[in-house]
Amino acid sequence: MTLVDQFDPGDPRASSGGETRLYRCAHGPDVDYTAMARRARTLWRELEEESGEELLVECGLAWFAHREDGWEAESERTLAAHGIPAERLDVASAPSLYPSFRGEDLAFVLLEPEGGVIRAQRAVRALAAQAARHGARIVRSRARPDGTAAVLEDSTRLEGDLVVWACGPWLGRLFPDLVSLSVTRQELLFFDGGPAWRSPGLPGWCDYDHARYGTADIDALGVKAAIDDLGPPLDPDAELADEAPTEQQVRAYLHDRFPALEHARLIEARSCRYELTPDSHFIAAPHTEYPTVWLVGGGSGHGFKQGPPMAERLAQTFREGTPLPPRFALGERQPSTSMRTASSGPAT
Ligand SMILES: Cc1cc2nc3c(=O)[nH]c(=O)nc-3n(C[C@H](O)[C@H](O)[C@H](O)COP(=O)(O)OP(=O)(O)OC[C@H]3O[C@@H](n4cnc5c(N)ncnc54)[C@H](O)[C@@H]3O)c2cc1C
């Protein structure tokens, strides 16, 4: 097997290239993504065992529900049906989760105790190292498709039984007739919350209806808080400027939810790219002309955790012809009006 990438593993210009990504199984009523995310936990644990790296921080993931019977309640039912641990906390008991918390506007908090955070960059590096250990050849080059082949910058033509183009934000540019992706600039802010926010076991969090998410201070990066509204379009090759235009909006949310953080020092603002399909569902499908060429991606802000089970499903499809969900196919997609209404749930 040959793995080609224009960057080194974990490069911040790739969509996977952040230090942390949230890990959750809640997906509203969506059984397939829920089961896939649960399977991901086992597969990430396997990678941890093989690599000796601690990749999955099982600090829990808290959903701030604004309605008794909204997306979170649907998630609760789906999680229960799959035997995935989830606890409904009343608002009065939720402050025990964090050093500072305010929840008068909430109906309840849904806690996934086995949710949490994946050390994303480290995971990608561990994965590449394990692939090499198992015999994969890793080549650094920019590739372009030519029929069934991948052509590298030095004109080397790579052919194979299968060629998989899993190219994140660049996939649409490589296959403009087949793939429609919007690439947007998203911003992550890291605040100095002090030692209280570095205690282990503080859950990651998601406020789906208000499109906000974040984590406690993991690995001394600072408390992460971000807006999940879609940012401005950004070319896949454009510089990622580390600006903080969302700072006031994020601070306003911190004031309402985690008041002790409202004036916390901003340590860093970081940009990255979402690669979004019109309906926020993934892409995993053969090229329309070349059946041995596959296009995979469209992570749409929720793809990181699902990498290992997606690879597992693809391997089964390649070996045994197991069908993939039709919603991963190429072709027209019904646009969802926003990430809030997408059936895949929020980004993260
Ligand atoms: C700010 C932010 C927050 C997110 N939060 C979460 C979260 O909490 N939970 C979650 O599960 N997901 C989250 N996601 C989504 C998730 O990170 C992405 O969907 C996922 O990492 C995409 O992985 P990928 O391998 O498809 O793409 P990438 O990580 O972008 O990898 C594609 C690779 O292809 C290479 N490449 C592209 N074109 C070429 C070429 N022509 N030749 C050679 N190499 C090429 C690139 O260099 C890159 O390394 C988030 C994303 C962002 C940006």
Side-chain angles (χ1 to χ4, degrees), residues 46-58:
E46 280 177 13
L47 178 61
E48 283 186 320
E49 207 162 296
E50 269 202 35
S51 63
E53 296 267 1
E54 284 181 37
L55 303 174
L56 189 54
V57 183
E58 216 159 74

Side-chain angles (χ1 to χ4, degrees), residues 18-221:
E19 281 97 346
T20 57
R21 294 284 184 258
L22 291 179
Y23 169 74
R24 48 106 176 193
C25 291
H27 262 286
D30 198 306
V31 168
D32 190 54
Y33 283 137
T34 300
M36 200 171 163
R38 186 62 173 173
R39 175 70 183 150
R41 179 169 177 265
T42 303
L43 297 174
W44 284 117
R45 290 289 188 220
E46 280 177 13
L47 178 61
E48 283 186 320
E49 207 162 296
E50 269 202 35
S51 63
E53 296 267 1
E54 284 181 37
L55 303 174
L56 189 54
V57 183
E58 216 159 74
C59 52
L61 191 95
W63 294 93
F64 302 150
H66 291 265
R67 288 166 293 148
E68 277 299 332
D69 207 23
W71 188 90
E72 294 79 8
E74 284 188 298
S75 298
E76 188 184 18
R77 289 191 284 275
T78 314
L79 294 170
H82 283 76
I84 301 170
E87 297 163 28
R88 182 184 277 238
L89 306 178
D90 58 35
V91 172
S93 55
S96 63
L97 294 175
Y98 297 102
S100 149
F101 183 79
R102 195 184 271 163
E104 303 88 350
D105 58 330
L106 300 179
F108 66 95
V109 172
L110 182 69
L111 179 68
E112 286 189 64
E114 293 181 355
V117 169
I118 307 173
R119 294 187 169 104
Q121 224 166 31
R122 215 190 278 183
V124 173
R125 288 176 184 150
L127 187 67
Q130 288 308 308
R133 208 172 66 83
H134 286 278
R137 187 167 70 101
I138 298 190
V139 174
R140 184 163 173 180
S141 180
R142 194 162 196 165
R144 65 176 170 81
D146 184 15
T148 56
V151 180
L152 306 186
E153 283 159 310
D154 65 1
S155 303
T156 305
R157 264 182 93 77
L158 298 177
E159 311 250 11
D161 298 335
L162 272 170
V163 176
V164 178
W165 294 88
C167 292
W170 291 266
L171 193 64
R173 174 164 296 176
L174 290 165
F175 300 96
D177 299 336
L178 300 178
V179 171
S180 160
L181 278 184
S182 328
V183 179
T184 60
R185 175 183 178 277
Q186 303 300 133
E187 194 176 298
L188 301 169
L189 303 186
F190 295 85
F191 295 94
D192 182 358
W197 287 86
R198 287 196 279 276
S199 315
L202 303 181
W205 55 271
C206 245
D207 188 328
Y208 182 10
D209 286 350
H210 288 190
R212 308 285 185 265
Y213 69 95
T215 70
D217 186 342
I218 291 175
D219 298 338
L221 296 166

